[in-house]
Amino acid sequence: MNDARSPVLDRPDAPGVTVDITPSRPAERRAAHHRTQRLVRRALAVAVPIALLAIWEIAARVGLLDMRIFPAPTTIVGQGIDLGRDGRLLDDVWKTLSRVLVGYPLGALAGFVLGIVMGLSAYVRSALESTLNGLYVVPKLALLPVFLSIVGFGEPPLVALIATTVFFFVWIGTMEAVAAIPEGYREAARSLGLSRRRTFGEVVVPAILPEVFVALRVGMGVAVLVIVAAEFIATDTGLGFLIFNSRALLINGWMYVGILTVAVLGVLLTILVGAVGRRLTPWVRSSTGSITR
């Protein structure tokens, strides 16, 4: 007699035989353990920044920190609200964001295409890899004077700097991902009679997308870093200029507002890239939980 609490499944190929499909207790315990771990990780992700801000606030209020150099977080928030009300903060955020949104896709697309070509062709890789590796190790900010000399001041050199920075990260990630595709994948495609076009679309692209999106996430973070640094010296708008100019004017509260805004902007942009990656690579999410581990 079957336990009334245990759902069973009749096997059509064997009348009268039933299979118990109730999850085993070890499986239930593992699932509960994983849920607990997720909750703990999420709690830590929230609790640690809050605790650090609370320590900073207390240390500033009791005099352990010089408020002229390290204003209390509540003071910084108040000054940020004031900057937001007069529109200056939003203008600077938009300037920085618009530069990233223009330069990032240009560099990502160029890096993706060239990475695929070099990954698939040993001859192209041999011809170009050493030159590109030499350019890769050059600090990207060192290229800013070159772009200024070529296209002049304004938005173009900043966009070119971002595109160049992102290009190298995506190029390397894509090229290595293509080269690392197991040969068995291609052999399976040939045995099924797939054309080169179908092999590329149904084998190569799905195999490299997870690594490509890792490179895209890294590239996004570095793009924010580079544009903020470039705004220190090449323009009078953007979050980089807000940070640098506030320090020059000894308005340290505004400086911290700019720094925190850059941090939030960078996190949001990388989360966005990761979300797109998870949507486009559901097979990775189902097998590993996330492409952004």
Side-chain angles (χ1 to χ4, degrees):
M1 181 181 295
N2 292 322
D3 189 340
R5 296 171 299 175
S6 301
V8 295
L9 178 66
D10 290 329
R11 290 180 55 185
D13 59 333
V17 178
T18 58
V19 178
D20 191 345
I21 61 171
T22 304
S24 63
R25 290 186 180 276
E28 292 177 347
R29 286 195 294 268
R30 286 195 299 270
H33 179 65
H34 290 323
R35 287 195 296 269
T36 302
Q37 284 187 323
R38 285 197 299 269
L39 290 174
V40 170
R41 290 196 297 265
R42 291 173 181 173
L44 287 173
V46 175
V48 170
I50 292 177
L52 292 175
L53 290 174
I55 293 172
W56 181 358
E57 180 77 24
I58 293 171
R61 295 298 178 185
V62 301
L64 295 177
L65 295 176
D66 188 340
M67 290 277 283
R68 295 171 298 177
I69 301 175
F70 300 104
T74 51
T75 302
I76 295 172
V77 170
Q79 294 185 355
I81 292 173
D82 292 338
L83 281 174
R85 285 174 178 170
D86 66 18
R88 177 173 179 178
L89 180 60
L90 293 178
D91 288 342
D92 287 332
V93 169
W94 171 244
K95 283 292 187 180
T96 297
L97 180 60
S98 63
R99 290 159 183 157
V100 172
L101 293 179
V102 174
Y104 178 84
L106 295 176
L109 179 61
F112 180 71
V113 172
L114 187 59
I116 287 177
V117 173
M118 293 179 66
L120 293 175
S121 173
Y123 294 106
V124 177
R125 181 166 183 167
S126 298
L128 299 179
E129 187 172 19
S130 59
T131 301
L132 290 175
N133 281 333
L135 294 174
Y136 168 69
V137 299
V138 175
K140 300 306 171 282
L141 282 177
L143 298 176
L144 183 58
V146 177
F147 294 136
L148 290 172
S149 300
I150 295 173
V151 297
F153 288 88
E155 300 300 309
L158 300 176
V159 171
L161 185 67
I162 296 171
T164 302
T165 300
V166 175
F167 163 81
F168 282 102
F169 285 93
V170 178
W171 158 63
I172 292 174
T174 303
M175 180 179 64
E176 295 302 331
V178 173
I181 296 175
E183 184 59 29
Y185 288 10
R186 295 188 174 92
E187 291 178 356
R190 286 193 293 267
S191 67
L192 293 172
L194 297 183
S195 64
R196 288 188 176 182
R197 178 176 298 180
R198 290 191 62 188
T199 299
F200 177 77
E202 299 178 21
V203 177
V204 174
V205 172
I208 69 173
L209 274 183
E211 295 302 325
V212 169
F213 272 101
V214 171
L216 287 171
R217 289 180 67 245
V218 174
M220 177 61 80
V222 177
V224 174
L225 294 176
V226 168
I227 189 57
V228 170
E231 288 171 345
F232 282 0
I233 55 178
T235 183
D236 59 357
T237 59
L239 292 171
F241 176 77
L242 172 64
I243 295 169
F244 185 79
N245 193 51
S246 299
R247 178 65 186 89
L249 297 176
L250 301 179
I251 311 176
N252 287 339
W254 289 9
M255 179 182 69
Y256 286 109
V257 170
I259 292 172
L260 293 175
T261 304
V262 168
V264 172
L265 181 63
V267 168
L268 292 178
L269 290 174
T270 52
I271 288 176
L272 177 61
V273 175
V276 173
R278 287 190 296 272
R279 177 62 63 89
L280 295 180
T281 58
W283 60 91
V284 178
R285 184 169 68 254
S286 62
S287 62
T288 65
S290 173
I291 70 165
T292 59
R293 293 184 303 163

